[in-house]
Amino acid sequence: MYLNREEDSSKGSVSLSVFLVSLAVTVCAVWLVALCGICGWCQRKLGKRNKPGVETADTPDSARGRGEKKAIKGNKPVNSPKGQPPDADGHSSVTDLANSLTGDMVMLSPGSEDDDGEGPVSEKLGRIQFSIGYSFQNTTLTVKVLRGQDLPAKDFSGTSDPFVKIYLLPDKKHKLETKVKRKNLNPHWNETFLFEGFPYEKVRERTLYLQVLDYDRFSRNDPIGEVSIPLNKVELGQLKTFWKELKPCSDGSGRRGDLLVSLCYNPTANTITVNIIKARHLKAMDIGGTSDPYVKVWLMHKDKRVEKKKTVTMKRCLNPVFNESFPFDVPAHVLRETTIIITVMDKDRLSRNDVIGKIYLSWKSGPAEVKHWKDMLARPRTNVAQWHALKA
């Protein structure tokens, strides 16, 4: 009886030990399965992060790449065609992003932002045809002013009233003038002028100087351009005809500086926005060799002034930066009769403000102005910028 009890107790202890061992094995198995699952998840994550062709997380460029990716993702239309894959490095094109950010400004010739350190804007001033001859028998120099071609517009109506002054330099006291040709950019003068009693030796010491001007009844005549030809370089025995390109006037009146202007036409709102960006190489109007420039913008309909706006004054500055925009209401049906006159002024506290130079923008102004106007209409809702040479 006693022996049976001992056998039962030994059997119970053995079964308890088996149970504890089984429990320990089960717990270990569960932990192993869980641990393997975690390792597999980590491997999948690491595998995604370290795919070939994509930067790893611990490189400095990877943070920049992800930043660019976010920026491009936020701006969905980035000028890339539908279905076009990103660049080979996994990023969308940075050039496309830059284009999307600056696409609302178009820079047109003549001039650009890269021209800042270069020479002035070259402007075509047209050309003039004339003839020169000398009569040895009568000791008379004959000058014929025949015609002009492709002269620039000086009036806001898109035309000019040109005439020609004739000098024999260095004498500027005695001059001859042609008649004024009204509203004509290709005038025909066909006028003959005689310089009598000039010995041939003296004629060869002179320089023929022709200055083309735009006649203005109420203010100073505006110079258009000039031509000079030393007579000792011309065979004067026969009447010879020349075509010469007009050059800016050497007295400084032809160079007044340049102005960078952008135009934006909105056909939906019927507005033209004029942005006065900056000027360069402005003519000094003050005694101290500088100017206090500001800009006036007039909206003209036919010959009537409709609206005026102006910028702030920049003190003692020949290369001012304005960056001021002015919207004007311009219905589509009056576009062809609209002119925008931009005048750069020098502010003077004690006397009348001086005009540094002007620009006339319309569909019938000078070649550079007409080009800017047409480009504005061809690119609606876009700021179209262009450098313009200021005119007297």
Side-chain angles (χ1 to χ4, degrees):
M1 188 98 175
Y2 179 74
L3 290 173
N4 290 335
R5 282 182 183 174
E6 285 184 352
E7 290 176 3
D8 292 340
S9 62
S10 64
K11 285 181 180 179
S13 61
V14 171
S15 61
L16 179 61
S17 299
V18 172
F19 172 74
L20 291 175
V21 170
S22 301
L23 182 62
V25 171
T26 303
V27 171
C28 289
V30 171
W31 275 105
L32 285 172
V33 172
L35 186 60
C36 290
I38 292 174
C39 290
W41 180 81
C42 291
Q43 287 177 358
R44 286 193 299 273
K45 284 294 180 182
L46 291 173
K48 282 184 180 180
R49 184 174 295 179
N50 294 317
K51 276 187 178 180
V54 181
E55 296 159 337
T56 57
D58 55 356
T59 61
D61 290 339
S62 63
R64 185 178 71 237
R66 288 195 299 274
E68 289 174 355
K69 220 169 190 179
K70 283 183 181 177
I72 295 170
K73 199 172 184 180
N75 297 297
K76 289 185 179 178
V78 192
N79 296 343
S80 46
K82 211 169 189 180
Q84 181 173 331
D87 292 345
D89 62 352
H91 303 145
S92 294
S93 171
V94 178
T95 304
D96 287 344
L97 177 61
N99 290 339
S100 69
L101 295 177
T102 60
D104 60 342
M105 175 68 79
V106 176
M107 192 70 190
L108 299 174
S109 61
S112 72
E113 286 292 339
D114 296 332
D115 292 339
D116 287 343
E118 298 180 3
V121 175
S122 60
E123 181 191 10
K124 290 187 176 180
L125 301 175
R127 59 180 188 156
I128 187 172
Q129 187 185 43
F130 58 95
S131 300
I132 312 172
Y134 184 76
S135 171
F136 290 92
Q137 183 178 356
N138 300 321
T139 61
T140 299
L141 178 70
T142 301
V143 177
K144 288 186 177 182
V145 180
L146 301 175
R147 57 179 174 145
Q149 190 175 70
D150 299 328
L151 301 182
K154 289 291 185 177
D155 302 332
F156 65 81
S157 59
T159 184
S160 294
D161 302 322
F163 70 100
V164 183
K165 289 183 180 180
I166 303 102
Y167 299 88
L168 286 182
L169 300 180
D171 181 17
K172 295 198 78 171
K173 293 181 180 179
H174 303 94
K175 68 177 185 296
L176 301 172
E177 297 182 0
T178 68
K179 295 178 181 179
V180 176
K181 296 297 180 179
R182 301 284 182 180
K183 296 180 172 53
N184 199 331
L185 300 180
N186 296 281
H188 286 252
W189 289 290
N190 291 322
E191 295 186 44
T192 301
F193 302 91
L194 303 177
F195 294 86
E196 298 176 332
F198 260 92
Y200 182 70
E201 293 76 14
K202 287 189 177 182
V203 168
R204 290 181 58 82
E205 296 174 356
R206 300 299 177 97
T207 296
L208 177 66
Y209 176 77
L210 305 178
Q211 185 181 36
V212 183
L213 300 102
D214 170 53
Y215 175 76
D216 198 322
R217 181 184 298 177
F218 302 106
S219 63
R220 183 182 177 185
N221 298 326
D222 297 328
I224 294 176
E226 67 180 16
V227 167
S228 60
I229 179 168
L231 294 180
N232 61 2
K233 295 184 178 180
V234 179
E235 181 60 48
L236 297 174
Q238 300 178 11
L239 196 65
K240 287 194 173 182
T241 301
F242 302 87
W243 271 111
K244 292 289 184 181
E245 298 288 332
L246 292 173
K247 299 178 180 179
C249 295
S250 56
D251 61 359
S253 57
R255 284 303 312 160
R256 295 174 172 266
D258 310 311
L259 187 67
L260 181 60
V261 180
S262 77
L263 301 176
C264 180
Y265 175 58
N266 188 331
T268 305
N270 285 329
T271 60
I272 293 178
T273 300
V274 181
N275 185 11
I276 307 299
I277 302 173
K278 61 181 178 179
R280 63 185 180 188
H281 313 316
L282 293 182
K283 184 178 180 180
M285 306 298 286
D286 300 335
I287 297 176
T290 185
S291 295
D292 301 324
Y294 69 96
V295 182
K296 291 193 304 184
V297 184
W298 271 105
L299 177 68
M300 308 288 295
H301 177 57
K302 293 184 178 179
D303 294 339
K304 296 180 181 179
R305 295 180 175 181
V306 178
E307 188 176 359
K308 181 185 81 170
K309 296 181 181 180
K310 65 179 181 178
T311 68
V312 298
T313 301
M314 309 298 288
K315 296 291 185 180
R316 295 181 293 279
C317 187
L318 298 180
N319 297 281
V321 177
F322 297 102
N323 280 329
E324 294 191 45
S325 296
F326 306 106
F328 294 95
D329 293 328
V330 183
H333 66 277
V334 301
L335 271 173
R336 291 182 66 84
E337 300 169 338
T338 297
T339 301
I340 295 173
I341 304 178
I342 301 174
T343 307
V344 182
M345 304 287 297
D346 171 50
K347 181 77 172 179
D348 200 325
R349 184 180 299 177
L350 302 178
S351 62
R352 186 178 179 183
N353 297 333
D354 298 321
V355 176
I356 298 177
K358 296 181 179 182
I359 301 169
Y360 298 90
L361 296 173
S362 72
W363 72 275
K364 54 183 179 179
S365 303
E369 293 82 0
V370 169
K371 179 181 183 301
H372 197 179
W373 191 264
K374 290 182 177 178
D375 287 330
M376 171 197 70
L377 296 177
R379 295 175 172 87
R381 303 178 187 86
T382 302
N383 288 309
V384 181
Q386 183 174 311
W387 282 103
H388 291 276
L390 295 173
K391 301 176 182 178

